[in-house]
Amino acid sequence: MGSKAEVLQAVQAVQRRSSLRPRLAFVLGSGFGHVLKVVEAEAQIAYGDIPGFPAASVPGHSGTLVVGRLGGLPVMVLNGRAHYYEGHSMDAVTFGVRTLAACGIRDLLLTNAAGGLNRTFRPGDFMMLTDHINLMGANPLRGPVWPGWSRFVDLTQTYDLGLRQLLQRAAKVDRLRLRKGVYLAVSGPSYETPAEIGAFAKLGADAVGMSTVPEAIVARQCGVRVAGLSCITNLAAGRGAGELSHEEVLDTARHNELRAAGLIARFAKLYAKDIA
Ligand code: HPA
C-alpha cells in the first residue's frame, strides 16, 4: 500500500494546480481517451510530475491527470493507467485511485478495453460491469492496512446500483446498446488460450481484461462508489476466426472513441442533475 504520507503528497501536488474539488472521477482505458476532448481542463499534470504516481508505459495509455469541467461539472480524470502486467506492484497500480479518494472523489467510473466471451457480444459493443471475477492472482489489499481502515472489504455490491442506473439511462438517451456482464480480470500480458476462455465462460464471465479490478477493490476500501464500463474490442481467444493482437484492440478502441466519449459526457450530465 502506498503510505498515507505519499498519497497526501500526491493530493497536494494535484490540489496546488486546481481549486476545483470534484466528486466524480474517471479512469480512462484504451478507447476512452477522447473523453478529454470534451473536458475543459483547468490542470493537466503528467503522472511523472505527481509524487508516487507510476508512469504508464503502454502505447495508447498516455498518463496524465486532468482536473476540469465536463458539461460544467467538476471532474477528475486519470488518462491512462499503470498495469500489473508491466511489472508494477498492486500498490503502484492502485496509487492513482487512492489519490482520487484522498482528493475527495465520491464516485468513480472505471473504463477499459476487454475481450468478449459472451457469444452475443460484438467488437465495438459497450458493457457495463455488474460484477467481476478476480483471477489476477493478487489482491491490492494484501499487506499492511492504514490504521482505522478495513482490510476485509465487502464486495457484495462492488458496482454501485445508482451509478449503473445512470449509465443505462445515459445509453438510452444516446440510443446506444449497453451490454451488461461480469468482467474477469487476468494478469496478462499474454492473451488467453481458447481453453482458458472456455473455462472462464463456464465460470460466468462475459468479458476478460487485464485491469480495473484492483482499482475497484481499492475504491471500495476507500468508500468510493464505483461503476465499470468496457469497450469490447475483440472476440476473446477462440471465439473469433483470427488471432488476437494489441493493434486490433487499439484499432477497435479508437474506432469507438467518439461513442465512448458521448456516453460518458451524457453520464456526467445526468450525474450533475441527479447526484452532485
Ligand atoms: N483478453 C484480455 N485482455 C484484453 C482483451 C482480451 O481478449 N482484449 C482487450 N483486453
Side-chain angles (χ1 to χ4, degrees), residues 10 20 28 53 65 72 84 93 97 105 109 113 115 121 123-124 126 169 195 202 208 228-229 235 259 262 270 273:
L20 288 179
L28 304 181
F53 258 62
L65 184 150
Y84 190 54
V93 166
V97 169
I105 291 299
L109 175 58
F121 289 5
F126 290 96
R169 278 174 52 207
K202 288 203 176 88
V208 60
L229 180 64
L235 300 181
R259 290 160 68 229
L270 296 176
K273 220 165 68 189

Side-chain angles (χ1 to χ4, degrees), residues 182-238:
V182 172
Y183 175 93
L184 184 145
V186 290
S187 72
S190 64
Y191 288 114
E192 301 70 36
T193 64
E196 286 167 340
I197 292 301
F200 295 167
K202 288 203 176 88
L203 291 179
D206 295 291
V208 60
M210 305 175 189
S211 68
T212 301
V213 162
E215 295 156 6
I217 294 171
V218 164
R220 289 311 303 140
Q221 184 188 43
C222 300
V224 171
R225 287 187 294 229
V226 178
L229 180 64
S230 297
C231 175
I232 304 297
T233 49
N234 57 286
L235 300 181

